Amino acid sequence: MNTAAAPPSAAPPSPRALARRRRREALRSFAREYSRRRAGMVGLVGLLLLVVLALCAPLLVDPADLTVTRAPGAAFEPPSARFPLGTDDYGRSILDLIIWGSRVSLTVGFLATAVSVALGTLVGMTAGHFGASGGTAGRLLSSVLMRLTDWFLVLPTLVLAVALAAVLPRGTGTIILAIGLTVWPATARLVRAQTLAVEARPYVERARALGGGHLHVMAWHVLPNVMPVVLAQTTLLVATSIIAESTLAFLGVGDPTTISWGGILESARNAGAISSGIWWYMVPPGLAIALVALAFTLCGRALEAVLDPRLRERR
């Protein structure tokens, strides 16, 4: 009779290891589901190419060729082998201007979106949480925050952004602040609705019963559940922010010391390119704005479909 002891069983994985495994599985599942969205993949590839182009702009374009005193060509040259997209009224290559301008347009788009999303998430989550479980004082705070959100929501966004950009000192930081402070209300209302849905779930009530305070509930239970909505909203707002920056630059309230796609369009308008039929000065920057907005929109819709189970079932 074999009396040898059986080998000891392996120790169960720690909670931290289980959490890491679940996160890896969730990321793999997300990647598989996103890769099935052809439109989202097209938008993602386009955005990656655009980001690489913006990062490599100093290697592709000589900044000296972008100055009006050292232009490499003659004014208003049509597209040719030397200048694939023609030149502007100073003789600068339109292609070089678009490549260099992508840096400013993308930077403003990302940073303005970060300001808007951060502000909208903070306001929406605070209003939703204290409106659901903050008592009389909490409901008053929620009401004040949402009335403030409604006030910003009914204001004309473009007019408010132009007013802020005109009052504050000119610069890229002013444009970022002006856009970020005008497009956050939609995010706030979306996050508030999602927060109210999360606050009604049993595990949140259990956390409160066990002594979890407002900060604990918001940071560990509400925020992780509203992040998918925030992520999808972020990709959509980047496109809105880039278009807003281009609009402000076209209206002449942008930063005159930097080159952006909207600034190129504004220069084309001032140079009379529209009445003169110089299409290569207007069409390329307009197409660049439209294509990057389309790419971000495709990614945002794909993320929304992947992260929302109801939309995933309709696929």
Side-chain angles (χ1 to χ4, degrees):
M1 181 176 179
N2 189 5
T3 58
S9 58
S14 64
R16 186 171 299 179
L18 288 174
R20 286 197 297 267
R21 184 186 304 173
R22 284 196 296 266
R23 284 195 292 267
R24 287 194 298 266
E25 292 175 354
L27 288 175
R28 283 195 292 266
S29 175
F30 170 81
R32 284 195 304 269
E33 189 64 28
Y34 187 92
S35 63
R36 296 173 185 170
R37 312 281 169 171
R38 294 184 180 179
M41 291 301 296
V42 170
L44 181 61
V45 171
L47 290 181
L48 291 177
L49 292 176
L50 184 63
V51 170
V52 171
L53 182 66
L55 293 176
C56 296
L59 303 176
L60 301 174
V61 179
D62 185 2
D65 292 339
L66 301 177
T67 61
V68 297
T69 58
R70 191 186 153 183
F76 296 135
E77 285 191 34
S80 61
R82 184 184 178 191
F83 302 109
L85 298 179
T87 62
D88 65 353
D89 51 331
Y90 295 106
R92 298 175 297 181
S93 171
I94 300 295
L95 180 59
D96 290 350
L97 292 174
I98 290 177
I99 293 175
W100 196 264
S102 64
R103 305 171 73 218
V104 174
S105 296
L106 286 179
T107 300
V108 171
F110 283 123
L111 294 183
T113 300
V115 172
S116 171
V117 168
L119 183 59
T121 302
L122 179 63
V123 172
M125 198 165 63
T126 302
H129 172 76
F130 285 98
S133 60
T136 304
R139 286 192 292 271
L140 178 61
L141 174 63
S142 175
S143 179
V144 170
L145 289 176
M146 293 316 298
R147 296 298 77 75
L148 180 65
T149 302
D150 293 339
W151 183 75
F152 272 94
L153 197 62
V154 299
L155 286 176
T157 302
L158 180 60
V159 174
L160 182 58
V162 169
L164 288 174
V167 171
L168 298 175
R170 282 198 174 188
T172 303
T174 297
I175 298 299
I176 293 172
L177 189 63
I179 297 173
L181 292 178
T182 53
V183 298
W184 62 270
T187 303
R189 294 192 67 86
L190 189 64
V191 170
R192 176 181 176 272
Q194 185 69 12
T195 301
L196 291 175
V198 173
E199 290 281 344
R201 294 176 182 173
Y203 62 85
V204 175
E205 297 179 2
R206 198 157 47 239
R208 290 199 201 97
L210 292 175
H214 295 296
L215 186 60
H216 173 83
V217 172
M218 293 172 67
W220 292 99
H221 298 287
V222 177
L223 184 60
N225 284 281
V226 302
M227 281 307 296
V229 176
V230 172
L231 182 60
Q233 181 73 0
T234 299
T235 56
L236 297 175
L237 281 180
V238 172
T240 303
S241 300
I242 291 176
I243 295 174
E245 184 276 330
S246 302
T247 304
L248 293 177
F250 180 75
L251 294 175
V253 293
D255 186 358
T257 63
T258 60
I259 298 174
S260 67
W261 293 336
I264 299 173
L265 289 174
E266 197 263 342
S267 299
R269 178 176 62 87
N270 292 337
I274 299 176
S275 58
S276 302
I278 306 173
W279 58 268
W280 59 86
Y281 200 174
M282 305 173 294
V283 174
L287 282 178
I289 296 170
L291 289 177
V292 71
L294 177 62
F296 274 109
T297 301
L298 291 177
C299 289
R301 295 303 182 190
L303 280 174
E304 189 178 14
V306 171
L307 298 174
D308 192 335
R310 294 170 299 179
L311 296 179
R312 193 186 310 173
E313 292 172 358
R314 297 176 190 173
R315 181 175 175 269

Short mmCIF file of all heavy atoms in Angstrom, two decimals, residues 119-162:
data_model
loop_
_atom_site.label_atom_id
_atom_site.label_comp_id
_atom_site.label_asym_id
_atom_site.label_seq_id
_atom_site.Cartn_x
_atom_site.Cartn_y
_atom_site.Cartn_z
N LEU A 119 -13.35 68.90 -16.39
CA LEU A 119 -14.35 69.77 -15.75
C LEU A 119 -15.74 69.15 -15.82
O LEU A 119 -16.49 69.14 -14.82
CB LEU A 119 -14.33 71.13 -16.43
CG LEU A 119 -15.26 72.21 -15.85
CD1 LEU A 119 -14.93 72.47 -14.40
CD2 LEU A 119 -15.15 73.49 -16.67
N GLY A 120 -16.11 68.62 -16.98
CA GLY A 120 -17.43 68.02 -17.12
C GLY A 120 -17.61 66.79 -16.25
O GLY A 120 -18.67 66.59 -15.65
N THR A 121 -16.57 65.96 -16.15
CA THR A 121 -16.65 64.77 -15.30
C THR A 121 -16.77 65.14 -13.84
O THR A 121 -17.56 64.55 -13.09
CB THR A 121 -15.41 63.88 -15.53
OG1 THR A 121 -15.32 63.51 -16.91
CG2 THR A 121 -15.49 62.63 -14.68
N LEU A 122 -15.99 66.13 -13.40
CA LEU A 122 -16.05 66.55 -11.99
C LEU A 122 -17.42 67.11 -11.64
O LEU A 122 -18.03 66.73 -10.63
CB LEU A 122 -14.97 67.60 -11.73
CG LEU A 122 -14.92 68.17 -10.32
CD1 LEU A 122 -14.60 67.07 -9.30
CD2 LEU A 122 -13.87 69.28 -10.23
N VAL A 123 -17.94 67.99 -12.49
CA VAL A 123 -19.25 68.59 -12.22
C VAL A 123 -20.35 67.54 -12.29
O VAL A 123 -21.22 67.47 -11.41
CB VAL A 123 -19.52 69.74 -13.20
CG1 VAL A 123 -20.96 70.25 -13.06
CG2 VAL A 123 -18.54 70.89 -12.97
N GLY A 124 -20.34 66.73 -13.33
CA GLY A 124 -21.40 65.74 -13.50
C GLY A 124 -21.40 64.68 -12.41
O GLY A 124 -22.47 64.32 -11.89
N MET A 125 -20.22 64.19 -12.04
CA MET A 125 -20.16 63.16 -11.01
C MET A 125 -20.53 63.72 -9.64
O MET A 125 -21.22 63.07 -8.85
CB MET A 125 -18.76 62.55 -10.98
CG MET A 125 -18.69 61.21 -10.27
SD MET A 125 -17.16 60.33 -10.62
CE MET A 125 -15.97 61.46 -9.94
N THR A 126 -20.09 64.95 -9.35
CA THR A 126 -20.45 65.57 -8.07
C THR A 126 -21.95 65.82 -7.99
O THR A 126 -22.59 65.53 -6.97
CB THR A 126 -19.69 66.90 -7.90
OG1 THR A 126 -18.29 66.65 -7.98
CG2 THR A 126 -20.03 67.55 -6.58
N ALA A 127 -22.54 66.34 -9.07
CA ALA A 127 -23.97 66.60 -9.06
C ALA A 127 -24.77 65.32 -8.94
O ALA A 127 -25.75 65.24 -8.19
CB ALA A 127 -24.36 67.36 -10.33
N GLY A 128 -24.36 64.27 -9.66
CA GLY A 128 -25.09 63.01 -9.60
C GLY A 128 -24.96 62.33 -8.25
O GLY A 128 -25.96 61.83 -7.70
N HIS A 129 -23.75 62.32 -7.68
CA HIS A 129 -23.55 61.63 -6.41
C HIS A 129 -24.28 62.32 -5.27
O HIS A 129 -25.03 61.69 -4.52
CB HIS A 129 -22.05 61.55 -6.10
CG HIS A 129 -21.75 61.02 -4.73
ND1 HIS A 129 -21.84 59.68 -4.41
CD2 HIS A 129 -21.38 61.67 -3.58
CE1 HIS A 129 -21.53 59.51 -3.15
NE2 HIS A 129 -21.25 60.70 -2.62
N PHE A 130 -24.08 63.63 -5.12
CA PHE A 130 -24.72 64.33 -4.00
C PHE A 130 -26.22 64.51 -4.22
O PHE A 130 -26.97 64.61 -3.26
CB PHE A 130 -24.05 65.69 -3.79
CG PHE A 130 -22.69 65.58 -3.14
CD1 PHE A 130 -21.55 65.62 -3.91
CD2 PHE A 130 -22.58 65.41 -1.77
CE1 PHE A 130 -20.30 65.51 -3.32
CE2 PHE A 130 -21.33 65.30 -1.18
CZ PHE A 130 -20.19 65.34 -1.96
N GLY A 131 -26.65 64.52 -5.47
CA GLY A 131 -28.08 64.57 -5.71
C GLY A 131 -28.78 63.29 -5.33
O GLY A 131 -29.96 63.29 -4.97
N ALA A 132 -28.05 62.16 -5.38
CA ALA A 132 -28.65 60.87 -5.05
C ALA A 132 -28.52 60.51 -3.58
O ALA A 132 -29.37 59.80 -3.04
CB ALA A 132 -28.01 59.77 -5.91
N SER A 133 -27.43 60.98 -2.92
CA SER A 133 -27.20 60.49 -1.56
C SER A 133 -26.64 61.57 -0.64
O SER A 133 -26.03 61.24 0.38
CB SER A 133 -26.21 59.32 -1.59
OG SER A 133 -24.97 59.73 -2.16
N GLY A 134 -26.82 62.82 -0.97
CA GLY A 134 -26.23 63.87 -0.15
C GLY A 134 -27.17 64.60 0.77
O GLY A 134 -26.80 65.60 1.38
N GLY A 135 -28.40 64.15 0.87
CA GLY A 135 -29.34 64.83 1.74
C GLY A 135 -29.81 66.16 1.16
O GLY A 135 -29.65 66.44 -0.04
N THR A 136 -30.35 67.01 2.03
CA THR A 136 -30.87 68.30 1.57
C THR A 136 -29.75 69.18 1.02
O THR A 136 -29.89 69.80 -0.05
CB THR A 136 -31.57 69.03 2.72
OG1 THR A 136 -32.61 68.18 3.25
CG2 THR A 136 -32.17 70.33 2.25
N ALA A 137 -28.62 69.25 1.73
CA ALA A 137 -27.49 70.06 1.26
C ALA A 137 -26.93 69.52 -0.05
O ALA A 137 -26.57 70.28 -0.95
CB ALA A 137 -26.40 70.10 2.33
N GLY A 138 -26.88 68.19 -0.16
CA GLY A 138 -26.37 67.59 -1.39
C GLY A 138 -27.27 67.86 -2.58
O GLY A 138 -26.79 68.16 -3.69
N ARG A 139 -28.59 67.78 -2.36
CA ARG A 139 -29.52 68.06 -3.46
C ARG A 139 -29.44 69.53 -3.87
O ARG A 139 -29.58 69.86 -5.05
CB ARG A 139 -30.93 67.68 -3.04
CG ARG A 139 -31.17 66.17 -3.02
CD ARG A 139 -32.64 65.85 -2.89
NE ARG A 139 -33.14 66.24 -1.57
CZ ARG A 139 -33.13 65.46 -0.51
NH1 ARG A 139 -32.63 64.23 -0.60
NH2 ARG A 139 -33.63 65.87 0.66
N LEU A 140 -29.20 70.43 -2.89
CA LEU A 140 -29.04 71.85 -3.22
C LEU A 140 -27.78 72.07 -4.06
O LEU A 140 -27.81 72.81 -5.05
CB LEU A 140 -28.98 72.67 -1.93
CG LEU A 140 -28.76 74.18 -2.11
CD1 LEU A 140 -29.91 74.80 -2.91
CD2 LEU A 140 -28.62 74.87 -0.75
N LEU A 141 -26.68 71.42 -3.66
CA LEU A 141 -25.44 71.53 -4.44
C LEU A 141 -25.62 70.98 -5.84
O LEU A 141 -25.18 71.58 -6.83
CB LEU A 141 -24.32 70.79 -3.72
CG LEU A 141 -22.99 70.69 -4.46
CD1 LEU A 141 -22.39 72.07 -4.69
CD2 LEU A 141 -22.01 69.80 -3.68
N SER A 142 -26.31 69.84 -5.95
CA SER A 142 -26.57 69.25 -7.26
C SER A 142 -27.40 70.17 -8.13
O SER A 142 -27.14 70.35 -9.32
CB SER A 142 -27.27 67.90 -7.08
OG SER A 142 -27.63 67.36 -8.34
N SER A 143 -28.42 70.79 -7.52
CA SER A 143 -29.28 71.69 -8.28
C SER A 143 -28.50 72.91 -8.78
O SER A 143 -28.66 73.35 -9.92
CB SER A 143 -30.46 72.14 -7.41
OG SER A 143 -31.29 73.04 -8.11
N VAL A 144 -27.64 73.47 -7.92
CA VAL A 144 -26.84 74.64 -8.32
C VAL A 144 -25.90 74.28 -9.46
O VAL A 144 -25.77 75.02 -10.45
CB VAL A 144 -26.06 75.18 -7.11
CG1 VAL A 144 -25.05 76.24 -7.56
CG2 VAL A 144 -27.01 75.76 -6.08
N LEU A 145 -25.24 73.13 -9.36
CA LEU A 145 -24.30 72.71 -10.41
C LEU A 145 -25.01 72.48 -11.74
O LEU A 145 -24.51 72.87 -12.80
CB LEU A 145 -23.56 71.44 -9.97
CG LEU A 145 -22.54 71.60 -8.85
CD1 LEU A 145 -21.97 70.24 -8.46
CD2 LEU A 145 -21.42 72.54 -9.27
N MET A 146 -26.18 71.87 -11.70
CA MET A 146 -26.88 71.59 -12.95
C MET A 146 -27.49 72.86 -13.55
O MET A 146 -27.58 72.97 -14.77
CB MET A 146 -27.98 70.54 -12.71
CG MET A 146 -27.42 69.17 -12.35
SD MET A 146 -26.00 68.66 -13.37
CE MET A 146 -26.72 68.61 -15.00
N ARG A 147 -27.92 73.80 -12.71
CA ARG A 147 -28.40 75.07 -13.27
C ARG A 147 -27.25 75.83 -13.93
O ARG A 147 -27.43 76.48 -14.96
CB ARG A 147 -29.03 75.91 -12.17
CG ARG A 147 -30.27 75.33 -11.53
CD ARG A 147 -31.44 75.13 -12.48
NE ARG A 147 -31.32 73.97 -13.35
CZ ARG A 147 -31.48 72.70 -12.96
NH1 ARG A 147 -31.79 72.42 -11.71
NH2 ARG A 147 -31.37 71.72 -13.84
N LEU A 148 -26.07 75.75 -13.33
CA LEU A 148 -24.89 76.36 -13.95
C LEU A 148 -24.56 75.68 -15.27
O LEU A 148 -24.23 76.33 -16.27
CB LEU A 148 -23.70 76.27 -12.99
CG LEU A 148 -22.38 76.87 -13.48
CD1 LEU A 148 -22.52 78.38 -13.67
CD2 LEU A 148 -21.25 76.54 -12.50
N THR A 149 -24.68 74.36 -15.29
CA THR A 149 -24.44 73.61 -16.53
C THR A 149 -25.46 73.99 -17.61
O THR A 149 -25.09 74.18 -18.78
CB THR A 149 -24.52 72.10 -16.25
OG1 THR A 149 -23.55 71.75 -15.25
CG2 THR A 149 -24.24 71.29 -17.50
N ASP A 150 -26.71 74.10 -17.22
CA ASP A 150 -27.74 74.50 -18.18
C ASP A 150 -27.49 75.90 -18.73
O ASP A 150 -27.74 76.17 -19.91
CB ASP A 150 -29.13 74.44 -17.52
CG ASP A 150 -29.54 73.01 -17.18
OD1 ASP A 150 -28.98 72.08 -17.79
OD2 ASP A 150 -30.40 72.84 -16.30
N TRP A 151 -26.98 76.79 -17.86
CA TRP A 151 -26.69 78.15 -18.32
C TRP A 151 -25.59 78.15 -19.38
O TRP A 151 -25.70 78.81 -20.40
CB TRP A 151 -26.28 79.00 -17.12
CG TRP A 151 -26.03 80.44 -17.48
CD1 TRP A 151 -26.96 81.39 -17.77
CD2 TRP A 151 -24.76 81.08 -17.59
NE1 TRP A 151 -26.34 82.59 -18.07
CE2 TRP A 151 -24.99 82.43 -17.95
CE3 TRP A 151 -23.43 80.65 -17.41
CZ2 TRP A 151 -23.95 83.34 -18.14
CZ3 TRP A 151 -22.41 81.57 -17.59
CH2 TRP A 151 -22.68 82.89 -17.96
N PHE A 152 -24.53 77.37 -19.14
CA PHE A 152 -23.47 77.27 -20.14
C PHE A 152 -23.96 76.54 -21.40
O PHE A 152 -23.50 76.82 -22.51
CB PHE A 152 -22.27 76.52 -19.57
CG PHE A 152 -21.28 77.40 -18.86
CD1 PHE A 152 -21.35 77.59 -17.50
CD2 PHE A 152 -20.28 78.04 -19.57
CE1 PHE A 152 -20.45 78.41 -16.84
CE2 PHE A 152 -19.37 78.85 -18.93
CZ PHE A 152 -19.45 79.04 -17.56
N LEU A 153 -24.91 75.63 -21.21
CA LEU A 153 -25.38 74.84 -22.34
C LEU A 153 -26.19 75.66 -23.33
O LEU A 153 -26.14 75.42 -24.54
CB LEU A 153 -26.22 73.66 -21.82
CG LEU A 153 -26.47 72.50 -22.78
CD1 LEU A 153 -25.16 71.85 -23.19
CD2 LEU A 153 -27.38 71.47 -22.12
N VAL A 154 -26.95 76.64 -22.83
CA VAL A 154 -27.79 77.43 -23.72
C VAL A 154 -27.02 78.59 -24.34
O VAL A 154 -27.49 79.20 -25.30
CB VAL A 154 -29.03 77.98 -22.97
CG1 VAL A 154 -29.88 76.85 -22.46
CG2 VAL A 154 -28.63 78.89 -21.82
N LEU A 155 -25.85 78.91 -23.81
CA LEU A 155 -25.06 79.98 -24.41
C LEU A 155 -24.49 79.53 -25.75
O LEU A 155 -24.09 78.37 -25.89
CB LEU A 155 -23.91 80.38 -23.48
CG LEU A 155 -24.26 81.19 -22.24
CD1 LEU A 155 -23.01 81.42 -21.39
CD2 LEU A 155 -24.89 82.52 -22.62
N PRO A 156 -24.42 80.40 -26.74
CA PRO A 156 -23.77 80.02 -28.02
C PRO A 156 -22.29 79.73 -27.78
O PRO A 156 -21.53 80.60 -27.35
CB PRO A 156 -23.97 81.27 -28.89
CG PRO A 156 -25.10 82.03 -28.27
CD PRO A 156 -25.01 81.75 -26.80
N THR A 157 -21.89 78.50 -28.05
CA THR A 157 -20.53 78.07 -27.73
C THR A 157 -19.50 78.89 -28.48
O THR A 157 -18.50 79.35 -27.90
CB THR A 157 -20.37 76.58 -28.07
OG1 THR A 157 -21.33 75.82 -27.34
CG2 THR A 157 -18.98 76.09 -27.73
N LEU A 158 -19.71 79.09 -29.77
CA LEU A 158 -18.74 79.82 -30.56
C LEU A 158 -18.61 81.27 -30.11
O LEU A 158 -17.51 81.81 -30.00
CB LEU A 158 -19.12 79.76 -32.05
CG LEU A 158 -18.19 80.48 -33.01
CD1 LEU A 158 -16.78 79.91 -32.93
CD2 LEU A 158 -18.72 80.39 -34.44
N VAL A 159 -19.75 81.91 -29.81
CA VAL A 159 -19.72 83.31 -29.36
C VAL A 159 -18.97 83.43 -28.04
O VAL A 159 -18.15 84.34 -27.84
CB VAL A 159 -21.15 83.86 -29.24
CG1 VAL A 159 -21.14 85.26 -28.64
CG2 VAL A 159 -21.84 83.85 -30.59
N LEU A 160 -19.23 82.50 -27.12
CA LEU A 160 -18.54 82.53 -25.83
C LEU A 160 -17.04 82.30 -25.99
O LEU A 160 -16.22 82.96 -25.35
CB LEU A 160 -19.15 81.48 -24.89
CG LEU A 160 -18.59 81.41 -23.47
CD1 LEU A 160 -18.75 82.75 -22.77
CD2 LEU A 160 -19.26 80.30 -22.68
N ALA A 161 -16.67 81.36 -26.86
CA ALA A 161 -15.25 81.08 -27.10
C ALA A 161 -14.56 82.29 -27.73
O ALA A 161 -13.43 82.63 -27.35
CB ALA A 161 -15.10 79.85 -27.99
N VAL A 162 -15.23 82.93 -28.68
CA VAL A 162 -14.65 84.13 -29.30
C VAL A 162 -14.48 85.24 -28.27
O VAL A 162 -13.46 85.94 -28.25
CB VAL A 162 -15.54 84.60 -30.47
CG1 VAL A 162 -15.11 85.97 -30.96
CG2 VAL A 162 -15.47 83.59 -31.62
#
